[in-house]
Amino acid sequence: VISETTSTTMTTLNTDKVTSFVNKQWDESIIPLLCDYIKIPSQSPDYDPEWETNGLQEEVVDLMMDWVKKQNVPGLKYEIVKLPHRTPLIFCEIESNAKDKENAPTIVLYAHYDKQPPLEGWSEGLGPYKPVIKEGPYAGKWLYGRAGADDGYGLPASLTALRALHEQGVEHGRVVVMIEGCEESGSKDLPFYMDHLKDRIGTPDLLVCLDSGAGNYDTMWMTTSLRGVMAFPMTVSLLKDGVHSGGGSGIAADSFRVVRQLLDRLEDSSTGIMIDEFQVDIPQERIEQTSATAKVLGETSHTQLPFRSGVKPVTNDLTELLLNNTWRPTLTITGADGLPAVKNAGNVLRSSTTVKLSIRLPPSLDSTAAEKKVRELLTTNVPYGAQVTLPEHFHIANGWAAKPLKKWTSQAYEQAAQAFFGQSAQYMGEGGTIPFLGLLQKKFPQTQMCVTGLLGPASNAHGVDEGFPIEYSKKLTACISFILAEHFRNCRE
């Protein structure tokens, strides 16, 4: 453990004291907060048509703000910013504690408080709005419940990392905290807030985002890329009403078959490979990094998924599996309408079929251009002249690919991981999407981004039995504290 060093390559920070402070905060303050947060049955706007009137978003924000007020962070200003018909934004500013605070660099700490839908099928004793602490599959005790790690912990972990520096009088830059309420719906409100608050945000030198994942729970994992996303419903209709299948089949095409034909225009169903227009050249550095990650993770690259007995992954090549998940486009059908429950399904040729498509896009692909291509493919020369209905606006978001790390950044990551995990930091791409990163990188191309998180094996983000390991969360919070201190020290050199 690094302790009270004055080396020119280390920050003056007692890591034993950081660990002690962070652990105490998690046990006495953060865990109780997250338990109360999990209990609130709020959902992101795309999944809750009554979000503006049912008060659940406000309940979450008020809970978080009450916690913030009790932290006694020196130089802290906080408020709930609310633009008309936009989800509330928690916005905090913490002045630098340096002697020359006027010229201190700006750090943005980002997270979100909105949640995915609850889903059915949680294990006995668990539930989306029922916080439960019990032994987990890895790394000790886990806290179960919807959104604890995605991303309810982000705000308290960020402020706790900052407070750990104040406890030792270690200097840090000016800090801006932004906690949005629309990330799970594509962060469509965030650009409006960024514009509204641009003078107060300033130009960040460093962004810390705690909404990503981890390859395992042995060390700190830094995210190097995230895929983009395109999600939308498609309805295929051939008949005005459903008819007896004995009288209609063979004369009118089945709407589900037409759906299958249209999907084949996007993806080869025998391989899962999508059209060339959605492919990108994967940087050689990322291929090499992914190969190294595959060696670290081994078979857990796929065994972390709840495969049924006898089911295999799409390939046995572990590097290719990870590249598929992080740099290649994929199509998933996430929902369907027009199909009755099996017990209610009579011999009827249905009038229409609706499917919800979720397409993950490579990090460097333009999602707007991809949407244009999808609309063309799904609405041109449709078999049998079937009617295809698409929404006016798709849910789209660009991916993100990290720029090369500055020397101090890679050194700080390694030192933090060694100090609190006793192992080297690891790097990996993620298959999900954080729209904010693409927005910020476009607006502030020089900003260094520190992207990490708790969502590792068995965390089941967005799914049933969602949870996270508490001890890992403590160590990750301590790492962020170290990185914040190193950032300021290197900006001063």
Side-chain angles (χ1 to χ4, degrees), residues 99-418:
K99 294 178 181 179
D100 184 18
K101 65 181 63 179
E102 294 301 320
N103 296 313
T106 295
I107 304 163
V108 170
L109 304 178
Y110 165 85
H112 69 88
Y113 63 80
D114 56 317
K115 304 180 182 182
Q116 281 279 324
L119 297 185
E120 298 179 355
W122 289 62
S123 296
E124 184 177 356
L126 301 179
Y129 308 126
K130 178 182 179 181
V132 174
I133 296 175
K134 69 171 189 174
E135 198 70 22
Y138 308 94
K141 298 283 187 181
W142 283 44
L143 173 59
Y144 289 92
R146 175 63 82 233
D150 184 25
D151 187 30
Y153 88 104
L155 170 62
S158 295
L159 287 186
T160 294
L162 194 66
R163 282 192 64 196
L165 301 185
H166 282 269
E167 290 291 309
Q168 298 186 45
V170 174
E171 294 180 327
H172 61 76
R174 172 181 173 266
V175 177
V176 171
V177 180
M178 297 176 62
I179 313 297
E180 68 160 311
C182 197
E183 193 275 343
E184 302 291 5
S185 299
S187 290
K188 54 193 174 188
D189 292 344
L190 193 58
F192 296 91
Y193 282 111
M194 289 180 67
D195 184 63
H196 179 68
L197 298 165
K198 60 184 178 182
D199 292 337
R200 296 172 63 183
I201 296 171
T203 301
D205 187 72
L206 174 69
L207 166 79
V208 177
C209 172
L210 297 181
D211 188 30
S212 193
N216 58 32
Y217 301 115
D218 297 331
T219 189
M220 179 176 66
W221 289 80
M222 308 311 298
T223 302
T224 57
S225 64
L226 290 144
R227 289 191 292 182
V229 68
M230 179 193 309
F232 61 94
M234 175 181 71
T235 299
V236 174
S237 179
L238 289 91
L239 301 173
K240 295 179 180 178
D241 300 294
V243 298
H244 193 298
S245 62
S249 60
I251 298 175
D254 180 75
S255 61
F256 192 88
R257 179 160 65 89
V258 178
V259 167
R260 288 162 52 201
Q261 289 176 284
L262 292 175
L263 294 180
D264 282 341
R265 297 179 177 185
L266 303 178
E267 175 200 56
D268 182 340
S269 59
S270 66
T271 63
I273 297 175
M274 299 198 71
I275 57 175
D276 290 343
E277 289 86 343
F278 288 0
Q279 308 293 336
V280 300
D281 292 330
I282 305 173
Q284 184 61 33
E285 178 187 8
R286 296 302 178 221
I287 294 175
E288 294 171 359
Q289 211 167 54
T290 302
S291 177
T293 299
K295 292 178 182 177
V296 171
L297 297 180
E299 296 295 317
T300 61
S301 301
H302 58 85
T303 57
Q304 62 172 298
L305 297 181
F307 283 111
R308 290 192 178 275
S309 177
V311 178
K312 301 176 181 178
V314 298
T315 177
N316 291 324
D317 187 317
L318 301 183
T319 299
E320 289 301 305
L321 277 182
L322 293 178
L323 289 173
N324 286 347
N325 184 244
T326 58
W327 273 92
R328 294 184 179 128
T330 53
L331 169 65
T332 303
I333 303 301
T334 60
D337 286 331
L339 295 166
V342 171
K343 64 180 180 181
N344 299 324
N347 293 318
V348 177
L349 181 64
R350 297 171 299 101
S351 61
S352 66
T353 300
T354 299
V355 291
K356 177 74 175 289
L357 282 70
S358 175
I359 301 175
R360 294 291 175 176
L361 304 170
S364 56
L365 190 73
D366 180 9
S367 61
T368 301
E371 176 184 346
K372 182 179 180 180
K373 185 63 179 180
V374 166
R375 288 184 181 276
E376 174 190 331
L377 290 172
L378 296 181
T379 59
T380 303
N381 296 324
V382 179
Y384 312 107
Q387 296 180 3
V388 175
T389 303
L390 300 174
E392 181 180 357
H393 301 290
F394 288 5
H395 170 183
I396 62 171
N398 286 334
W400 168 77
K403 295 183 179 297
L405 295 177
K406 296 178 181 179
K407 184 177 181 180
W408 80 262
T409 313
S410 58
Q411 289 179 343
Y413 293 170
E414 179 64 19
Q415 292 162 3
Q418 291 288 354

Side-chain angles (χ1 to χ4, degrees), residues 27-101:
D27 291 339
E28 298 180 2
S29 182
I30 298 179
I31 290 297
L33 170 68
L34 293 181
C35 287
D36 289 339
Y37 165 75
I38 288 169
K39 292 175 185 177
I40 301 173
S42 61
Q43 296 183 52
S44 196
D46 275 4
Y47 312 103
D48 181 4
E50 299 179 355
W51 70 268
E52 286 195 81
T53 58
N54 60 25
L56 294 175
Q57 291 263 12
E58 287 73 16
E59 188 176 349
V60 169
V61 169
D62 289 344
L63 174 70
M64 293 289 184
M65 287 301 287
D66 286 344
W67 184 88
V68 169
K69 294 173 186 177
K70 297 174 183 176
Q71 299 314 297
N72 297 317
V73 178
L76 170 65
K77 299 178 182 177
Y78 48 80
E79 68 174 295
I80 300 170
V81 184
K82 181 70 170 72
L83 296 177
H85 308 297
R86 301 289 173 190
T87 51
L89 178 85
I90 298 174
F91 189 79
C92 305
E93 296 175 84
I94 302 105
E95 65 181 19
S96 173
N97 60 349
K99 294 178 181 179
D100 184 18
K101 65 181 63 179

